[in-house]
Amino acid sequence: MARAKKSVVIGDREGECFMCKGEEPCEVHHIYKGKNRKISDENGFYVHLCPSCHRYLHGKDGHMMDVYLMKTCQLDFEKNHSRADFMKLIGCNYIIEEDEE
């Protein structure tokens, strides 16, 4: 898969865990999964996570962080693109009106 050169998520840096800021070898976490995994790769919809944080995010207690990442990624993408552009790619809006106030 062709991965975008850089994550669109502001504050994500290769070699540093987005969650804990640890500098151990990181893994790529695709923010939008399933049918949107390739789209995540191509558009920079991913963050770098240390193995421990990555396992946590995929575990039963990681749902709230997962939702946070989906919203954050969408907001950061929309700083340079429209909501319609995001919807064409992902097909779902993760930002509710109270988040936009």
Side-chain angles (χ1 to χ4, degrees):
M1 277 184 241
R3 182 167 295 136
K5 292 183 182 179
K6 187 176 179 194
S7 171
V8 299
V9 179
I10 295 170
D12 181 63
R13 295 184 339 175
E14 189 171 348
E16 177 183 87
C17 179
F18 182 77
M19 287 174 61
C20 73
K21 302 302 180 197
E23 294 185 4
E24 58 186 284
C26 290
E27 303 168 348
V28 172
H29 171 71
H30 296 87
I31 295 171
Y32 307 106
K33 303 162 197 58
K35 65 181 177 135
N36 290 323
R37 183 182 173 100
K38 183 177 179 184
I39 292 167
S40 287
D41 255 343
E42 294 169 347
N43 292 278
F45 300 159
Y46 56 83
V47 292
H48 296 88
L49 299 174
C50 70
S52 178
C53 288
H54 201 187
R55 301 303 165 263
Y56 169 81
L57 193 61
H58 283 285
K60 62 179 177 152
D61 296 326
H63 177 71
M64 292 302 292
M65 178 55 85
D66 206 27
V67 170
Y68 167 80
L69 286 173
M70 288 186 272
K71 289 180 179 183
T72 298
C73 184
Q74 180 178 347
L75 287 169
D76 289 348
F77 177 80
E78 289 179 3
K79 289 181 179 177
N80 296 308
H81 303 86
S82 70
R83 171 86 31 102
D85 291 338
F86 183 82
M87 293 295 292
K88 284 179 194 171
L89 290 170
I90 300 300
C92 186
N93 176 26
Y94 294 93
I95 309 303
I96 56 175
E97 294 303 317
E98 63 190 38
D99 291 336
E100 295 179 315
E101 294 175 356

